[in-house]
Amino acid sequence: MNLKFLETFVWVARLKSFRLTAEKLFTTQASISSRIAVLEGELGVKLFLRDSRGVRLTPEGLKVLDYAEQMMDTMQALKQSISTGSSKVGRIRIGVMDTVIHTWLSPLVAEMMDTYPLVEIELVADTSLNLCDQLQKGFLDIALQTDLLRQETIRSLELASHPIGWIAATNSIYNREYSSVADLGRERIITYSKNSHPHQDVVSLMQANGVTAPRLNCVNSVSAITRLLRDGFGIAALPPVLVSEELARGELTLLAIDQRPPNLQVVVSWRVGVELVEEIVVLCQEVLRSYAQKVGEGYIVLSKPAAKV
């Protein structure tokens, strides 16, 4: 008998809904129906009645539920009894913004694979706005993004920040002296996706310097931003850490403008009560400390220890 199908049966019985069970188990309603049909075929009995009032157990289903819950409890106890440090199993769903992907994600994943070799790592790349939404809806366990979330079931912690610079292709028309942000604001500016923190910070800085309608190109991909930048399509408001190699080779230039947007925050947010998430948060802090020592404060600034919110 398939234990996954048995678990599906237990959740349908508890939630009294095929749809809610599909959301709980991150699958489709058709898949839930198929699993229940297979289980009913194996047992030779009807487990549920479905009518206008919803889903309810048959008398046979009530009997099966008692045994099924005992089996699930036994399986959980077995997993816990053999679960120690590196032998932990399961899945962790991590949402990651582009800036993290292009900086310290690989060292983090390497550390996670070494520490928890049996844990499945599921990565989702998206904008901070979308990651926060997915975390709040329960589709992610951890999100590495820019916003401090304050919610009963979610905790957040500031990890670090990346200084932002005005960067242009060295051989482009944009690599010149600028007298002020207002002067810079006449040029085409490439920045993060619309309504993101970096985008709003650029708009605010421009408006504070009298540029009411800056020429902004909003892009939700760091790879696309850096490609447009290298090809000379404008000036990017971007953390220099993302193009450190191009800056070192002289392909890109950090413009000498004192006024810059605020640092890009890196925040870890996680769902309370999910196994492993607290340990992964600690790994994030450890990996970032090593990464910061490698690249220096010009590229990343670690946040001071603070209370989780």
Side-chain angles (χ1 to χ4, degrees), residues 1-290:
M1 185 176 295
N2 191 312
L3 287 176
K4 180 178 288 187
F5 291 2
L6 206 60
E7 179 190 23
T8 300
F9 163 70
V10 170
W11 279 111
V12 173
R14 289 174 178 174
L15 299 175
K16 296 180 174 59
S17 167
F18 280 60
R19 179 183 61 81
L20 293 177
T21 301
E23 293 178 2
K24 170 69 179 178
L25 300 180
F26 304 102
T27 186
T28 64
Q29 193 168 332
S31 176
I32 297 298
S33 297
S34 176
R35 293 177 190 179
I36 297 301
V38 170
L39 196 58
E40 289 177 332
E42 289 182 353
L43 296 173
V45 296
K46 191 74 173 175
L47 298 174
F48 294 103
L49 293 175
R50 302 173 71 176
D51 53 32
S52 58
R53 292 177 295 177
V55 177
R56 54 194 173 93
L57 287 164
T58 63
E60 294 80 10
L62 283 169
K63 294 178 182 178
V64 173
L65 179 61
D66 185 41
Y67 287 101
E69 289 183 327
Q70 291 181 41
M71 292 177 68
M72 298 310 299
D73 289 343
T74 300
M75 181 57 65
Q76 183 63 28
L78 174 62
K79 288 180 178 179
Q80 290 179 352
S81 69
I82 63 175
S83 177
T84 59
S86 62
S87 65
K88 288 186 177 179
V89 297
R91 177 182 62 159
I92 194 79
R93 301 164 301 162
I94 306 176
V96 193
M97 65 177 177
D98 251 10
T99 301
V100 173
I101 292 173
H102 290 273
T103 50
W104 54 279
L105 178 63
S106 290
L108 175 63
V109 171
E111 191 68 30
M112 289 176 60
M113 292 173 67
D114 286 343
T115 308
Y116 309 108
L118 301 181
V119 172
E120 176 187 352
I121 303 169
E122 183 178 312
L123 294 175
V124 176
D126 212 326
T127 64
S128 287
L129 287 173
N130 289 338
L131 292 175
C132 290
D133 182 60
Q134 291 180 55
L135 182 68
Q136 291 168 332
K137 290 180 178 177
F139 298 138
L140 294 173
D141 302 313
I142 301 176
L144 294 165
Q145 39 76 40
T146 61
D147 299 305
L148 279 171
L149 301 179
R150 292 176 172 85
Q151 196 170 319
E152 185 178 348
T153 59
I154 294 175
R155 298 290 181 270
S156 292
L157 181 68
E158 288 187 17
L159 294 174
S161 66
H162 293 288
I164 299 286
W166 302 108
I167 303 171
T170 302
N171 295 325
S172 73
I173 59 173
Y174 301 104
N175 183 18
R176 64 178 182 84
E177 290 188 6
Y178 294 90
S179 59
S180 63
V181 169
D183 184 18
L184 178 79
R186 299 188 182 95
E187 307 287 14
R188 187 178 301 277
I189 306 297
I190 308 169
T191 187
Y192 286 77
S193 57
K194 193 174 182 64
N195 296 324
S196 65
H197 268 318
H199 167 258
Q200 292 173 344
D201 289 339
V202 169
V203 171
S204 296
L205 181 60
M206 289 292 175
Q207 291 178 344
N209 284 271
V211 184
T212 56
R215 299 165 60 199
L216 299 183
N217 284 10
C218 301
V219 184
N220 67 357
S221 163
V222 165
S223 295
I225 292 175
T226 54
R227 182 55 189 262
L228 291 171
L229 179 60
R230 289 197 304 268
D231 290 344
F233 283 102
I235 299 168
L238 196 69
V241 67
L242 296 173
V243 288
S244 57
E245 294 181 2
E246 290 87 345
L247 288 169
R249 290 195 298 264
E251 298 170 6
L252 299 177
T253 297
L254 185 61
L255 300 177
I257 302 172
D258 292 334
Q259 278 189 290
R260 301 179 183 182
N263 288 9
L264 176 68
Q265 299 296 317
V266 180
V267 173
V268 58
S269 300
W270 66 95
R271 296 188 64 79
V272 175
V274 178
E275 189 176 4
L276 281 182
V277 292
E278 296 275 357
E279 297 169 51
I280 301 302
V281 169
V282 173
L283 277 184
C284 287
Q285 293 173 294
E286 294 174 353
V287 169
L288 261 179
R289 279 195 291 268
S290 297

